[in-house]
Amino acid sequence: MSIIKHRKKIIRQEVLSPAEEARLRGREAGHQEGYEEGYLKGRANYIVSRYAESSFPFRQMHVLYVASGKGFPYSPIDEAIATTLRGMISQVTVVEPGQPISEIAYQIMPDLVLVLDGMFIQNEQLDAIRQQGIKTAVWLTDDPYYTDMTTENVGHYDYVFTLESNCIPYYQQLGCANVHHLPFAAYVEHYKPERMRSAQRREVSFIGSAYWNRVEYLSPIMDQLMQHHTIINGIWWDRLPNFAAYQDRIEVNKWMGPQETAEAYNASKIVINLHRSHEDDSVNNNAVKIPAASPNPRTFEISACATLQLSDARSDLAKFYTPGVEIETYSSPQELLDKVEYYLNHEKERREIALNALERTMRDHTYGNRLNQMLSIIFP
């Protein structure tokens, strides 16, 4: 650089006002943030495109699928299962629990009757279906929290699939011969990375109900957590001791559908996952207090959106995601806060874990994976 040009550069630097300097710094930070987000979305879309074509075997079989009959929030799971099945087998018939299921089964003679949840189907109908030589299976939705209610039903199925690995010995003790651990998954039509920049902007999100264990866990760090542009959505959050101080950032008493939830995940740099307690008698029906070890469905849905997830540590979690590589965990409120602050200031590490989580989810944790596993067990 010539002496004249160097002097001109010094002069320009000297005459910049503080406001102009701030504007230039802001523009530079905006460019950097835009680059980082574009890089994340570009790689995420590439990962999704690699798994666009199904790699599961197509089976010539007919499944009679009995929906949960519970409406939202179970209806999106019904949609995920029925739609995924249609791409994997030759015929799917969908019915509701209130219909004469045993008569329908007798008329169409499916290879399998698959029931989601099973709370609203009469056991006599299941017995009649099995007497016709048709295989039956149930995919339980809320283990271990409602085991008092599932106890009466599980013995009427040939195959029991549960979200909770700790429920396997319990159902075996009840006489169920074929019990398998099969958690839910990510339905990639609902949960996937957005191609465009989200209109929402969040640093940290939590979406879910304010069960008492969550209120007690988060209360000691809530003041600090909410300083990081944290937004919470879900019912009962007015239980927080200092709710009035945060109510402008908490949307209370609203169930968010899959599309709205996925938009929030995509808009967030970090999403917190904090599992409910298996000992909360105010909402649970788990008299035998079966402990929960397996990850909830939200675990897979967050990861499918290429967003960094901070989850409380459950013993089964490492079977599905590698901590520190595909997910981050915490074991105390302070560790949760420390990791929020760390990853908000370490963009590259945050981004790589989020992309690794997406890759693992697309490879191993879609409904195609789960249903292929189920059908392989029933029809080996």
Side-chain angles (χ1 to χ4, degrees):
M1 180 184 296
S2 69
I3 295 176
I4 295 175
K5 287 183 178 180
H6 183 65
R7 286 177 177 173
K8 286 181 177 179
K9 183 179 179 181
I10 293 174
I11 291 170
R12 284 199 303 269
Q13 289 175 341
E14 289 176 347
V15 298
L16 284 178
S17 68
E20 290 173 326
E21 290 182 353
R23 180 179 61 82
L24 289 174
R25 286 196 299 270
R27 184 171 66 179
E28 183 178 347
H31 286 164
Q32 182 63 27
E33 182 181 359
Y35 166 79
E36 290 169 350
E37 184 167 4
Y39 180 83
L40 171 66
K41 291 188 178 299
R43 281 188 57 190
N45 289 328
Y46 172 71
I47 291 170
V48 171
S49 67
R50 287 172 49 209
Y51 294 91
E53 297 297 326
S54 174
S55 60
F56 305 110
F58 188 85
R59 294 172 167 87
Q60 293 294 331
M61 66 173 59
H62 185 181
V63 171
L64 175 61
Y65 177 68
V66 185
S68 65
K70 287 186 170 182
F72 190 81
Y74 296 85
S75 51
I77 305 173
D78 285 317
E79 178 186 350
I81 295 172
T83 303
T84 304
L85 274 174
R86 289 190 179 101
M88 300 176 68
I89 63 176
S90 53
Q91 188 173 357
V92 180
T93 300
V94 179
V95 297
E96 294 292 328
Q99 295 179 253
I101 297 168
S102 58
E103 295 179 21
I104 295 172
Y106 181 75
Q107 292 170 4
I108 66 176
M109 291 302 293
D111 299 284
L112 172 68
V113 173
L114 172 60
V115 179
L116 183 70
D117 186 68
M119 291 295 183
F120 296 154
I121 184 172
Q122 296 178 347
N123 292 331
E124 293 77 12
Q125 292 199 62
L126 296 167
D127 295 338
I129 292 169
R130 295 175 71 187
Q131 288 170 7
Q132 296 167 22
I134 302 171
K135 294 182 178 182
T136 60
V138 64
W139 201 352
L140 300 172
T141 60
D142 292 288
D143 281 341
Y145 310 108
Y146 296 154
T147 46
D148 298 352
M149 303 163 74
T150 56
T151 297
E152 302 298 323
N153 305 330
V154 289
H156 297 269
Y157 293 91
D158 297 305
Y159 296 86
V160 176
F161 295 92
T162 173
L163 308 187
E164 176 51 58
S165 61
N166 281 341
C167 283
I168 292 176
Y170 176 71
Y171 291 138
Q172 289 173 334
Q173 291 172 8
L174 296 176
C176 300
N178 295 295
V179 188
H180 302 273
H181 183 212
L182 194 71
F184 286 149
Y187 182 45
V188 295
E189 293 301 313
H190 289 162
Y191 296 95
K192 56 187 175 183
E194 292 181 353
R195 292 180 178 273
M196 304 300 293
R197 184 184 178 98
S198 174
Q200 302 182 48
R201 302 305 298 167
R202 301 178 176 209
E203 296 286 299
V204 183
S205 287
F206 183 92
I207 298 175
S209 303
Y211 296 112
W212 284 114
N213 72 296
R214 291 173 174 169
V215 171
E216 293 167 4
Y217 198 95
L218 295 176
S219 290
I221 60 169
M222 188 59 70
D223 286 342
Q224 300 98 310
L225 192 62
M226 297 305 281
Q227 293 174 14
H228 297 292
H229 194 192
T230 299
I231 298 178
I232 297 175
N233 308 86
I235 61 175
W236 306 329
W237 284 103
D238 48 359
R239 291 173 169 177
L240 283 168
N242 200 18
F243 170 73
Y246 327 119
Q247 59 183 332
D248 59 323
R249 287 154 286 170
I250 300 178
E251 189 172 22
V252 183
N253 298 330
K254 177 184 178 182
W255 284 102
M256 293 173 64
Q259 181 177 355
E260 194 174 2
T261 302
E263 288 176 359
Y265 290 162
N266 273 276
S268 307
K269 291 186 175 182
I270 296 172
V271 177
I272 296 171
N273 187 4
L274 177 57
H275 291 79
R276 60 190 285 189
S277 170
H278 67 278
E279 297 181 303
D280 187 349
D281 292 334
S282 67
V283 290
N284 293 343
N285 289 274
N286 182 17
V288 293
K289 296 293 187 292
I290 298 173
S294 301
N296 57 19
R298 184 178 292 112
T299 306
F300 308 106
E301 294 164 354
I302 297 169
S303 296
C305 294
T307 301
L308 175 66
Q309 178 175 180
L310 297 183
S311 175
D312 54 324
R314 279 195 163 183
S315 56
D316 272 359
L317 186 61
K319 298 177 184 177
F320 301 94
Y321 295 101
T322 303
V325 177
E326 298 162 333
I327 198 170
E328 261 296 359
T329 61
Y330 56 89
S331 299
S332 69
Q334 186 59 49
E335 186 179 11
L336 168 59
L337 182 63
D338 291 343
K339 289 191 173 180
V340 164
E341 294 175 345
Y342 178 85
Y343 283 106
L344 288 178
N345 290 290
H346 291 79
E347 171 63 25
K348 185 176 180 180
E349 293 177 49
R350 180 188 73 83
R351 184 178 64 215
E352 290 305 309
I353 294 175
L355 290 168
N356 290 340
L358 173 63
E359 176 94 34
R360 181 70 180 273
T361 303
M362 295 299 297
R363 187 179 74 234
D364 296 336
H365 303 314
T366 67
Y367 275 93
N369 293 105
R370 301 291 190 258
L371 289 166
N372 182 61
Q373 181 181 349
M374 175 189 289
L375 294 176
S376 297
I377 290 170
I378 299 173
F379 304 97

